[in-house]
Amino acid sequence: MANVSHPRGDITTHPDASEMRERYDRMLGGRDVALVDGPVFLLGLYCAASPWILHYTTSQPALATHNLIMGIAIGLLALGFTMAPERMYGLSWAICAMGAWMIISPWVVGTSPDTGVVINSIIIGALAVVLGALCALATTKSTPRA
């Protein structure tokens, strides 16, 4: 059995040191879209809070619940992009799909929404589509072909 215990701080003699270096280089090389993670999280936060910011929780309760759930989902995806980018950037297109849904959701989920609610959902949806596309395009561009 190999002795894999090493003194703390010294990793140069670790049997998997070269593999860990390669993984670290791959991880840093794929972080071209790290600047998009923050805006995606803030977009999700605003989407979740927008019914209370724009005061349509009583006039559109179904849409308020919908925006809360969608905002939490967008925020969780953004946290996933930050915490586990290798695993999560394949889901960048999900942000685009969620944005497209946000654009049409006032008419599907809501009941005769007013102009402010519609414009709010369209802006959130358009930003989600743009940020998701930026994530997805940068990820596919930086991913090496096998």
Side-chain angles (χ1 to χ4, degrees):
M1 183 168 211
N3 181 13
V4 292
S5 60
H6 300 282
R8 291 187 184 260
D10 182 27
I11 196 166
T12 56
T13 59
H14 192 279
D16 296 328
S18 61
E19 180 185 341
M20 288 187 291
R21 276 191 207 101
E22 289 173 13
R23 186 180 309 153
Y24 185 74
D25 290 340
R26 265 194 329 245
M27 185 77 138
L28 287 179
R31 294 298 292 164
D32 296 340
V33 291
L35 294 175
V36 180
D37 297 344
V40 171
F41 180 74
L42 291 175
L43 180 69
L45 191 64
Y46 174 74
C47 181
S50 66
W52 290 272
I53 293 171
L54 298 178
H55 305 291
Y56 62 88
T57 54
T58 55
S59 65
Q60 298 286 333
L63 201 53
T65 305
H66 169 267
N67 277 16
L68 177 65
I69 292 169
M70 290 296 288
I72 290 171
I74 291 171
L76 287 175
L77 279 174
L79 286 176
F81 293 157
T82 303
M83 296 174 73
E86 279 186 336
R87 294 180 181 179
M88 292 294 292
Y89 275 118
L91 292 174
S92 300
W93 289 108
I95 297 287
C96 294
M98 293 169 87
W101 172 251
M102 284 299 297
I103 290 172
I104 63 169
S105 67
W107 296 283
V108 176
V109 178
T111 52
S112 63
D114 62 348
T115 307
V117 174
V118 171
I119 291 174
N120 181 57
S121 290
I122 289 173
I123 290 173
I124 291 172
L127 286 173
V129 168
V130 168
L131 291 173
L134 283 175
C135 283
L137 291 176
T139 302
T140 56
K141 190 169 118 177
S142 66
T143 304
R145 301 235 173 199

